[in-house]
Amino acid sequence: MNWYKILIHEIIHIIGFDQYLFNFYPINLNSFAIFEKKNNITVVKIIDPVIIKYAQQYFNCDSLNGLYFEDEGNEGSAGCHWEKSIFGNELMTAENSGSLLLSKFTLLFLNRIGWYNINFEFSEDFSYNKKIGCIFDSNVCFNQNNFCNKLTA
């Protein structure tokens, strides 16, 4: 296990990657994130247009209109991490699943909250679910190698 990656993960929470800090961002929150009810659970959906445009290209899905935060686990997991079934081994998912990678998704998130100018050269070669298409809206588990949760199963 790369302890330095876990340290980076926790520092990223401290500097802004957490739904409990949303109200402090110096941006229009209504165009950045919304809270949706899914299966009687309130989930965070990132709707920032720059992040979504990148996600549409990455996943090869022009109709994608948001990216979910994790909806399972305790308050330290749910609402504070990228959805595991979508982002797999991305550094800002809730649990360690092999080689954790700092993707452009997390760097875009930090860049868009209005506090930082991010150097995107630090993003790592992340390819989890890349070019999977618009299967996010289906009722099937789209990633057999990992988790299926209430949003995707």
Side-chain angles (χ1 to χ4, degrees), residues 30-145:
N30 293 328
S31 63
F32 184 77
I34 59 174
F35 295 87
E36 280 188 352
K37 275 283 201 197
K38 294 278 189 181
N39 300 318
N40 295 320
I41 298 172
T42 301
V43 295
V44 176
K45 184 176 182 181
I46 303 301
I47 58 168
D48 176 78
V50 173
I51 297 172
I52 298 310
K53 182 176 180 181
Y54 176 72
Q56 289 170 340
Q57 294 168 352
Y58 178 89
F59 293 114
N60 192 30
C61 179
D62 291 339
S63 64
L64 184 68
N65 65 4
L67 295 172
Y68 289 102
F69 268 21
E70 184 62 56
D71 65 330
E72 296 183 23
N74 61 27
E75 65 183 35
S77 296
C80 300
H81 298 91
W82 291 123
E83 171 59 50
K84 182 72 172 176
S85 64
I86 298 171
F87 289 95
N89 65 325
E90 210 283 340
L91 181 66
M92 293 311 295
T93 55
E95 61 184 72
N96 185 347
S97 59
S99 178
L100 298 174
L101 300 172
L102 177 61
S103 77
K104 188 172 178 182
F105 286 104
T106 294
L107 294 179
L108 273 171
F109 181 98
L110 293 172
N111 195 68
R112 298 295 293 165
I113 64 175
W115 288 335
Y116 311 105
N117 290 316
I118 300 296
N119 181 345
F120 291 99
E121 291 179 17
F122 288 102
S123 70
E124 296 177 284
D125 189 21
F126 178 73
S127 61
Y128 194 87
N129 281 333
K130 190 170 189 174
K131 302 295 181 193
I132 197 166
C134 295
I135 199 162
F136 295 101
D137 295 327
S138 72
N139 288 324
V140 298
C141 176
F142 63 87
N143 191 321
Q144 299 297 326
N145 297 326

Side-chain angles (χ1 to χ4, degrees), residues 8-18 21 76 80-81 92:
I8 292 169
H9 171 103
E10 297 306 331
I11 290 170
I12 290 173
H13 279 308
I14 292 167
I15 66 172
F17 199 95
D18 191 319
L21 296 174
C80 300
H81 298 91
M92 293 311 295

